[in-house]
Amino acid sequence: METKIYNNRLIKFAEHLLTLKNHPEEGLFENITIIAIVGNVAIPYDMKYPSWIFDQLVEIFEEWEFDEVTGEPVLADKLTSEGTFSDICDFFNFSLDETSIFDLEGYQQPGRFGGRVLNFESKTEDIAFNIMELANSRIAGYGKAS
């Protein structure tokens, strides 16, 4: 049942992004370093992603607000919020691999999650498409053993 909540959130987010036309921040991105832990080894990975889309979460979901100090969108529950990217991972139940749907340097996994390979010219519709494709691949059970 919980998985359905996460997928519904993804679909709602994607549908909202599809309503945005020529957003003034389209094309802007931020860089984040993600640390993958493999065994006892920490492997850093730099990802460029369209951070501005996460500002939209405040408009869509009551669980989100803008941080009064940083101005970044965060989960309203201050006890669990660790910053925007961490919060989106919690809110949508993203695995590390699933966050690749936002990578603007083309490191998506379309064979696994569907979607389009993004680049710095990708439009909001492309990002929304990737989000919807991830939800669809989750619903189809990409993570289930065959």
Side-chain angles (χ1 to χ4, degrees):
M1 183 62 145
E2 197 169 278
T3 301
K4 186 175 181 179
I5 292 168
Y6 297 124
N7 293 338
N8 288 342
R9 288 174 178 171
L10 284 171
I11 292 166
K12 187 174 182 177
F13 185 32
E15 288 173 344
H16 174 80
L17 291 177
L18 286 172
T19 67
L20 303 177
K21 302 294 179 209
N22 301 317
H23 192 280
E25 294 181 12
E26 189 172 67
L28 297 179
F29 64 90
E30 287 186 19
N31 193 55
I32 187 167
T33 300
I34 299 171
I35 308 293
I37 307 295
V38 179
N40 292 329
V41 179
I43 302 169
Y45 166 70
D46 287 332
M47 182 174 83
K48 292 177 176 56
Y49 69 102
S51 59
W52 69 270
I53 64 169
F54 302 121
D55 289 350
Q56 299 301 310
L57 294 171
V58 175
E59 291 185 36
I60 308 167
F61 299 103
E62 64 185 32
E63 295 92 343
W64 286 83
E65 66 184 12
F66 289 110
D67 184 278
E68 293 176 7
V69 176
T70 66
E72 294 180 0
V74 293
L75 284 171
D77 183 355
K78 299 293 187 224
L79 298 175
T80 60
S81 178
E82 295 183 26
T84 302
F85 205 81
S86 177
D87 287 358
I88 65 156
C89 289
D90 291 341
F91 190 70
F92 294 112
N93 197 33
F94 284 141
S95 68
L96 181 61
D97 286 345
E98 288 174 333
T99 63
S100 72
I101 67 169
F102 302 110
D103 193 311
L104 295 174
E105 293 185 301
Y107 293 108
Q108 287 78 37
Q109 298 177 33
R112 186 170 178 199
F113 305 126
R116 299 180 178 131
V117 175
L118 302 178
N119 60 46
F120 295 102
E121 270 96 60
S122 295
K123 300 292 183 196
T124 306
E125 300 87 45
D126 299 318
I127 299 162
F129 183 77
N130 281 7
I131 295 168
M132 190 66 78
E133 286 290 290
L134 173 60
N136 289 335
S137 70
R138 282 177 167 185
I139 292 166
Y142 80 82
K144 294 179 183 171
S146 338

